[in-house]
Amino acid sequence: MAHHAHHAPHQRKQKSWFARHKVLTAAGAIVVVAAIGAAVGGDGDGKDDKPAAASKGSGTEKNADGGGDKAKKKADMSGSGTYQVGKDIKPGTYRSAGNKLGCYWERAKDSKGELDSISANDNVVGISYVQITEEDKLFKTRGCKGWYLVTGEKTGTPKTEVPGNGMYRVGVDIAPGTYKAEGNKTGCYWERDKDALHGVDSIAANENVTGSGIVTITPEDVYFKTNGCKDWKKTA
């Protein structure tokens, strides 16, 4: 399936109205993420042929930076399945790490399965976070690694170099500072986020990058998300 990018004038930068718009196509197989006038998409190949039952409230993830805790503790949610919020799973922020191309998740307002049912969705490579609210009715996940409920505590050793695909919690997965990624081809996208709701209002700033990209992640940022980029390395 072809993805078409529509380019906005260069002088229009970091406007919230084009921050991110998501369109679901092919029965949920592909999500197209439009950011600053260009389409950044990944194929969610729907590796959900083995649906799993929900793992109800087995506690919070002690090591929020995802160290060796996955081997010690069962995931709060399997990476493939559909879960009722408040019944199968509790509201909160969840983390999944080590994902390959094909991981897809969706927050839904109802179980009609329509486009308007979707509150937010994303294709994931690497680490992802998602905040599931009390207003959400369903959470759908396909082809992902297990999801762990995380605490508000910032534990772990933040890194100063991270892969160009992933969503990183500032102060936990990535240290604040100025980062540079060099040699990017078309399709590199980053955003600084205020929360993990994945809405337009979640974004503090974002940009599409070709070639060398530079971004300053502040201590006030909660997450840094990047797709299709080279590794980000702290320079200051």
Side-chain angles (χ1 to χ4, degrees):
M1 181 179 293
H3 300 282
H4 300 284
H6 302 284
H7 299 285
H10 285 293
Q11 66 269 24
R12 296 177 181 267
K13 293 183 179 179
Q14 298 175 359
K15 299 287 188 181
S16 63
W17 56 267
F18 57 58
R20 276 177 98 201
H21 304 285
K22 300 184 178 184
V23 179
L24 190 68
T25 60
I30 298 174
V31 176
V32 179
V33 180
I36 313 189
V40 181
D43 292 335
D45 57 7
K47 298 176 182 176
D48 55 352
D49 53 340
K50 296 180 181 178
S55 172
K56 296 185 181 179
S58 56
T60 58
E61 182 185 3
K62 295 179 182 178
N63 187 359
D65 68 354
D69 215 41
K70 287 177 67 177
K72 300 176 184 177
K73 177 183 172 294
K74 185 178 179 181
D76 294 283
M77 231 189 321
S78 168
S80 291
T82 299
Y83 305 97
Q84 286 184 283
V85 179
K87 186 175 181 180
D88 299 321
I89 58 171
K90 63 177 72 174
T93 299
Y94 290 80
R95 182 184 195 270
S96 178
N99 293 289
K100 305 294 185 183
L101 191 66
C103 167
Y104 169 81
W105 65 257
E106 175 184 311
R107 288 171 47 221
K109 294 177 283 188
D110 55 50
S111 55
K112 294 178 182 178
E114 299 174 355
L115 185 60
D116 289 342
S117 301
I118 301 171
S119 298
N121 62 0
D122 205 6
N123 284 316
V124 174
V125 176
I127 300 172
S128 182
Y129 289 84
V130 58
Q131 184 178 339
I132 300 172
T133 72
E134 293 180 354
E135 288 73 31
D136 293 327
K137 299 299 182 185
L138 298 177
F139 180 71
K140 301 180 181 182
T141 172
R142 303 184 193 123
C144 303
K145 300 293 185 181
W147 293 91
Y148 294 82
L149 185 62
V150 300
T151 68
E153 298 176 2
K154 290 191 172 184
T155 60
T157 304
K159 293 180 173 57
T160 55
E161 181 176 348
V162 296
N165 286 294
M167 182 176 182
Y168 307 102
R169 190 175 174 195
V170 179
V172 174
D173 303 310
I174 189 171
T178 298
Y179 287 77
K180 188 173 186 178
E182 299 182 281
N184 296 292
K185 300 188 182 296
T186 302
C188 168
Y189 168 76
W190 64 257
E191 66 183 42
R192 293 167 41 227
D193 290 319
K194 295 177 277 187
D195 54 46
L197 291 171
H198 296 266
V200 171
D201 292 339
S202 301
I203 301 171
N206 63 1
E207 189 175 20
N208 283 318
V209 176
T210 300
S212 179
I214 298 176
V215 57
T216 297
I217 301 169
T218 74
E220 289 73 33
D221 293 328
V222 183
Y223 297 98
F224 175 67
K225 185 173 182 180
T226 170
N227 298 103
C229 303
K230 297 295 184 180
D231 290 356
W232 292 93
K233 301 177 182 179
K234 191 171 184 288
T235 61

